[in-house]
Structure formats: structure tokens, C-alpha cells
């Protein structure tokens, strides 16, 4: 894996553009990791995935916890890892435990042995050794070590425990998986404590010294967001973290999904996002309709001003679209906009036809 910052925002801003190269594939950042359920986007099959714009559609976020009750990890390993099992040999798979749909961190039940998650089949404790075993069988291109993520209302004592535990797990993850040749993302947590966030980011950055056992930490996964923090807290926490990380290394933030949250992340110097926003909109029958220049005008001092109401999306279930023969977005070149009307999508949603979700997710 290689990453280089190619351009910095002028005027002292922290936003940046970069070039990420993984296994012969080059992707420009900032970029979005497509969210998946058990390896694939929820409604997009391999052939449709291949028809989506390249190279951006090659970046996928996979959640190891989705596979806990799946095929035994040894079976995934025998097939040749997740790339071969999913039939996506040329995609970049980024693995991090937990998402914002099916596998939410459950900090109360997390203990020194592992991190706990709320899943559709109940609460699951993911032990560190099992996590590393799963990762070594899945062979993702990049993977985040196990994290103890805590909600924004946690006490200072609990925030400190989360940092201590996450750092210990990081060292143990690397020691257990050091011969795998995969790229480990160093995890930054610390809840809503600026002090603990800075401490964690600084400590994880120390694993980036060349020649050190842990010099394989070339990129960073910022966790513990989207767990109840306010907009103001999020901005200052994110900036405190990115200020402490090496400026030339890749940064991924987890669970910041709304367009305005992604823009806040970009302005704090984050490169990758694992948003589930597209999936959530698709499930609700929504289509995004905002032209990009509206968003640019709405950005003031790094904070998105959205007081004028929501003109970014439309609910295609509404009866107003029943006879609407226009495209979703006139100027859009995607398959759905080029071939279908709002009226047709309204019909598909009304008759519970899964093609609606396929077209919307595309
Ligand atoms: Zn479109």
C-alpha cells in the first residue's frame, strides 16, 4: 500500500487531496468506502458493481463481525480469502469491526478480553484472538485493529480505559498477525475527551517509527464517532486527532455518514469515509438530488449551514411522484437517471419490487 498527499487546501485549511495505491489500483482521496453487508453492497450484485464508475467503486468496507456466524474462518481461508469468496479479486477490501447498521459497539459489555457488538442476532463479544484469526483468514487489503469504542456520554475514567485497552489490543493484534503481510490501521479512540483523543492519536503515531516492530502502521482508523456527540464536539475532537497524526499518512474515519459530516471530516484532513448513508437512503426510498455547487455554497468556515431545510433528497414513495415523468437528476449520467423516471421508481416502491432498491443504491 502507498499513500501520498498530492494537494493541500490553501489559506491554512487542513483539507487535502491524496493518491492511494493498493494492489495495483489507484484511487484519489477523499473517497468513500462502499458499505457492505456480509461482503457485498446490500442490493448491488458483482456484475452491477463492475458497471459502476471506476476506480471509486473498487473501495469496499467489510465488517468482520458480519462473518462470525458465517462460514468457518478456515473455510474462508481455504477459498483463498474474502476476495475470492466474494468474487471480487481486484477490489480493495478494508475491514473494521462494527458498522452503523448491523454491528453497533456495545461498550457496557466490552471487557478486557474483547469488544462487544449489538447484532441482529443479539449481543456478541468478539475476542481479540478470534478477531485476529478471522482477519488472517479473510485477508483484507487493510484492516483496523480491534477497538473499544465508547459513546459520547462516557465518563473520563471510561474514556481512559477505552484508550488503554485499544492501545494494548493494537500491539497484540500486530504481534499476532505480523507475518500476514496485510496493512494494519492504527485505531484512535477516546470518546468525547479531547485529552484522551490526543493521547491515543499520539501513542498510535509512535507505532509509525521505521525499524520498530510496529512500523507497519502506515494508516489510521478514527473510531468512536457517530455515538451521540454534538456537531461542535465532533469538529473539535476530529481536529484534535488529526493534529496529532503524521501529516503524510492515510486517515479513515468511521461512522460519519451524512454529507455534511463527510465535509466536516474532509475539512479536518480525513481521507476515507465508511458511510452507510446510501444504504439508509435506499431503504427509506429516498434519492439524492442535490447539485454539488449548492453544497459548496452552503459551506461556511468548515461547517455546513443547513438551516434552509432539506433540499438534498426526495422521498420517491410520495404520491406526488406517481405521475412525475422526469429523471431523478437531469444532469446525472448514472444508469438509473439515464434510463428511468421518478414515476417508475415510485411504482417499484409501491409494489415492493427489489429493483427499486437496486436502482436507488446504484
Ligand atoms: Zn443519477
Amino acid at each position: 500500500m502507498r499513500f501520498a498527499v498530492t494537494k493541500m487546501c490553501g489559506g491554512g485549511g487542513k483539507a487535502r487531496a491524496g493518491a492511494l495505491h493498493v494492489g495495483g489500483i489507484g484511487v484519489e482521496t477523499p473517497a468513500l468506502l462502499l458499505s457492505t453487508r456480509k461482503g457485498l453492497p446490500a442490493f448491488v450484485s458483482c456484475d452491477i458493481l463492475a458497471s459502476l464508475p471506476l476506480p471509486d467503486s473498487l473501495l469496499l468496507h467489510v465488517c468482520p463481525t458480519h462473518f462470525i456466524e458465517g462460514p468457518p474462518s478456515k473455510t474462508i481461508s481455504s477459498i483463498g480469502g474474502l476476495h475470492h469468496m466474494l468474487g471480487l479479486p481486484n477490489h480493495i477490501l478494508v475491514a473494521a469491526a462494527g458498522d452503523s447498521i448491523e454491528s453497533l459497539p456495545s461498550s457496557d459489555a466490552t471487557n478486557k478480553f474483547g469488544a462487544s457488538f449489538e447484532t441482529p442476532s443479539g449481543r456478541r463479544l468478539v475476542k481479540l484472538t478470534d478477531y485476529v484469526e478471522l482477519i488472517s483468514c479473510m485477508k483484507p487489503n487493510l484492516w483496523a485493529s480491534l477497538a473499544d469504542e465508547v459513546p459520547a456520554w462516557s465518563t473520563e475514567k471510561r474514556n481512559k480505559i477505552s484508550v488503554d485497552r485499544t492501545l494494548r489490543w493494537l500491539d497484540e493484534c500486530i504481534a499476532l498477525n505480523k507475518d500476514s503481510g496485510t496493512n494494519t490501521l492504527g485505531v484512535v479512540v477516546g470518546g468525547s475527551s479531547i485529552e484522551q483523543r490526543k493521547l491515543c492519536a499520539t501513542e498510535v503515531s509512535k507505532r509509525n517509527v521505521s525499524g520498530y516492530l510496529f512500523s507497519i502502521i502506515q494508516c489510521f482508523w478514527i473510531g468512536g464517532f457517530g455515538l451521540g456527540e454534538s456537531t461542535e464536539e465532533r469538529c473539535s475532537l476530529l481536529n484534535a486527532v488529526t493534529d496529532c497524526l503524521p501529516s503524510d499518512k492515510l486517515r479513515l474515519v468511521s461512522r460519519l455518514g451524512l454529507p455534511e459530516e463527510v465535509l466536516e471530516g474532509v475539512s479536518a484532513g480525513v481521507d476515507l469515509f465508511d458511510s452507510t448513508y446510501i444504504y439508509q437512503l435506499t431503504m427509506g426510498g429516498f434519492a439524492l438530488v442535490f447539485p454539488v455547487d449548492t453544497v459548496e455554497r452552503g459551506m461556511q468556515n468548515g461547517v455546513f449551514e443547513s438551516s434552509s431545510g432539506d433540499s438534498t433528497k426526495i422521498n420517491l414513495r410520495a404520491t406526488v411522484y406517481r405521475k412525475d415523468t422526469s429523471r431523478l437528476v437531469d444532469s446525472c449520467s448514472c444508469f438509473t437517471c439515464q434510463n428511468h423516471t421518478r414515476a417508475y421508481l415510485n411504482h417499484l416502491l409501491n409494489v415492493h419490487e427489489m429493483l427499486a432498491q437496486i436502482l436507488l443504491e446504484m
Side-chain angles (χ1 to χ4, degrees), residues 328-329 332-338:
L328 296 183
V329 179
C332 182
S333 59
C334 83
F335 179 88
T336 305
C337 291
Q338 287 294 307

Side-chain angles (χ1 to χ4, degrees), residues 181-352:
T182 52
N183 298 283
T184 314
L185 293 146
V187 170
V188 180
V189 293
S192 54
S193 162
I194 294 267
E195 192 191 333
Q196 292 300 325
R197 286 274 176 183
K198 284 181 174 174
L199 178 83
C200 192
T202 307
E203 283 298 317
V204 175
S205 302
K206 287 180 186 167
R207 274 76 172 167
N208 182 231
V209 181
S210 67
Y212 191 53
L213 169 66
F214 302 129
S215 62
I216 41 179
I217 297 291
Q218 296 292 324
C219 32
F220 299 89
W221 185 88
I222 307 167
F225 282 99
L227 297 174
E229 74 282 1
S230 67
T231 309
E232 295 74 28
E233 273 182 313
R234 187 167 57 234
C235 277
S236 44
L237 286 167
L238 260 182
N239 279 293
V241 169
T242 52
D243 282 343
C244 295
L245 295 177
S247 59
D248 57 341
K249 301 295 182 210
L250 184 73
R251 303 150 177 179
L252 192 168
V253 72
S254 189
R255 234 177 285 110
L256 288 191
L258 298 174
E260 53 268 39
E261 292 173 348
V262 170
L263 291 173
E264 284 162 20
V266 168
S267 67
V270 175
D271 308 298
L272 290 177
F273 298 83
D274 66 358
S275 170
T276 54
Y277 186 59
I278 294 169
Y279 172 78
Q280 312 271 19
L281 284 185
T282 299
M283 291 306 287
F286 287 89
L288 284 174
V289 292
F290 61 85
V292 172
D293 64 338
T294 312
V295 177
E296 285 171 358
R297 269 185 274 123
M299 279 291 284
Q300 299 287 340
N301 304 321
V303 178
F304 187 69
E305 304 291 341
S306 55
S307 53
S308 58
D310 191 349
S311 57
T312 62
K313 58 183 182 289
I314 55 173
N315 184 348
L316 288 162
R317 290 185 202 276
T319 43
V320 67
Y321 299 113
R322 205 160 76 87
K323 296 177 182 173
D324 188 340
T325 55
S326 58
R327 312 281 175 201
L328 296 183
V329 179
D330 271 336
S331 55
C332 182
S333 59
C334 83
F335 179 88
T336 305
C337 291
Q338 287 294 307
N339 292 283
H340 297 296
T341 59
R342 296 179 178 193
Y344 182 54
L345 280 151
N346 172 271
H347 162 71
L348 292 174
L349 287 164
N350 281 335
V351 296
H352 306 286

